[in-house]
Amino acid sequence: AMQSIQGKVAGVQIINNDAPGAAPTVRIRGLGTAASGTEPLYVVDGIVTTDIKNINPSDIETMDILKDASSAAIYGSNAANGVVLITTKKGKSGKMNLSVSSSYAAKSIMNQVKMANASQYVAYYNENLAAQGNTTGFLSANQPYNTDWYDQVAHVGHTQQNTIAISGGSDNAQYFMSYNNYSEEGILQGQDLNRNTIRINNTFKLFNDRLKITQ
């Protein structure tokens, strides 16, 4: 979810991590502590949490960032690196609403390094030894294999996301339920992620709106 606001908020630096499932590095107006971590404090629907990797970005209604010490003071010293306030979607009074979304993306290495073949590597290696004055340790020019290992471990990665959400309710009860499947195949082989998320937000009003229960 934090990747979606990269470059859009002043004073917030977000550095993406290309490993599937890895959270990006978030810096809000630099480092606020020396030895107590560098990540901001996340507050989701009033609940304090350490990260938001388990939240489907499609379920987020609003996202606010507290950057100043005066605005984050309510959270104490835990807010030294800033606070990210997230409000998730909830049901609204009215008829049932069904929404479905799906996306697909592919990614590859933008500037792939051109590797030397076997004969080129042997030539460079031996020239380096000769330049250092060595007389032993030279590689044979007759190499049986010519494998580009960079090309072998990297390939085109695929990302697919499917979301279905149901919401609605009456004046006294509103409901929201969503299911999200997120699968990502990394650029490096063996780096895969498959995540399923279910979120339920229900609100019940009792005793003529004197008591409200949220789930």
Side-chain angles (χ1 to χ4, degrees):
M2 295 302 296
Q3 294 182 8
S4 63
I5 62 172
Q6 184 180 25
K8 299 179 181 179
V9 182
V12 179
Q13 181 184 24
I14 300 177
I15 304 173
N16 288 341
N17 189 331
D18 289 334
T25 301
V26 181
R27 298 287 182 268
I28 299 178
R29 289 194 172 177
L31 301 178
T33 58
S36 299
T38 59
E39 292 299 317
L41 182 69
Y42 295 95
V43 181
V44 181
D45 292 335
I47 305 299
V48 176
T49 182
T50 56
D51 64 70
I52 55 173
K53 291 188 295 184
N54 62 335
I55 296 181
N56 173 23
S58 301
D59 289 344
I60 296 178
E61 184 77 27
T62 61
M63 181 183 298
D64 301 298
I65 298 180
L66 305 182
K67 296 177 288 186
D68 301 323
S70 57
S71 60
I74 187 175
Y75 297 103
S77 60
N78 292 331
N81 295 312
V83 182
V84 179
L85 300 177
I86 294 178
T87 302
T88 59
K89 294 180 180 178
K90 296 178 176 61
K92 299 179 181 179
S93 301
K95 61 181 181 179
M96 184 182 72
N97 181 43
L98 174 65
S99 63
V100 179
S101 63
S102 181
S103 63
Y104 173 84
K107 59 182 179 180
S108 61
I109 300 175
M110 180 177 294
N111 298 312
Q112 185 167 342
V113 178
K114 185 177 181 180
M115 306 297 291
N117 58 34
S119 60
Q120 291 173 332
Y121 178 80
V122 169
Y124 297 149
Y125 186 87
N126 291 340
E127 287 176 6
N128 181 57
L129 289 181
Q132 297 176 9
N134 295 328
T135 58
T136 60
F138 292 92
L139 297 178
S140 172
N142 298 321
Q143 295 293 323
Y145 303 107
N146 188 27
T147 303
D148 186 347
W149 290 109
Y150 193 172
D151 184 65
Q152 291 296 317
V153 300
H155 60 205
V156 177
H158 304 278
T159 301
Q160 187 171 357
Q161 184 167 206
N162 300 288
T163 302
I164 181 171
I166 300 175
S167 62
S170 61
D171 294 337
N172 296 323
Q174 294 88 39
Y175 59 88
F176 176 87
M177 178 178 179
S178 70
Y179 167 75
N180 171 261
N181 171 260
Y182 178 84
S183 60
E184 181 178 358
E185 183 182 27
I187 295 177
L188 298 181
Q189 297 189 26
Q191 288 192 337
D192 301 330
L193 171 69
N194 190 8
R195 181 184 66 206
N196 294 282
T197 304
I198 296 177
R199 175 167 289 271
I200 299 176
N201 282 343
N202 295 330
T203 303
F204 304 96
K205 299 178 181 178
L206 306 174
F207 306 114
N208 295 327
D209 294 346
R210 294 182 180 179
L211 176 63
K212 183 171 70 172
I213 300 175
T214 60
Q215 177 189 33

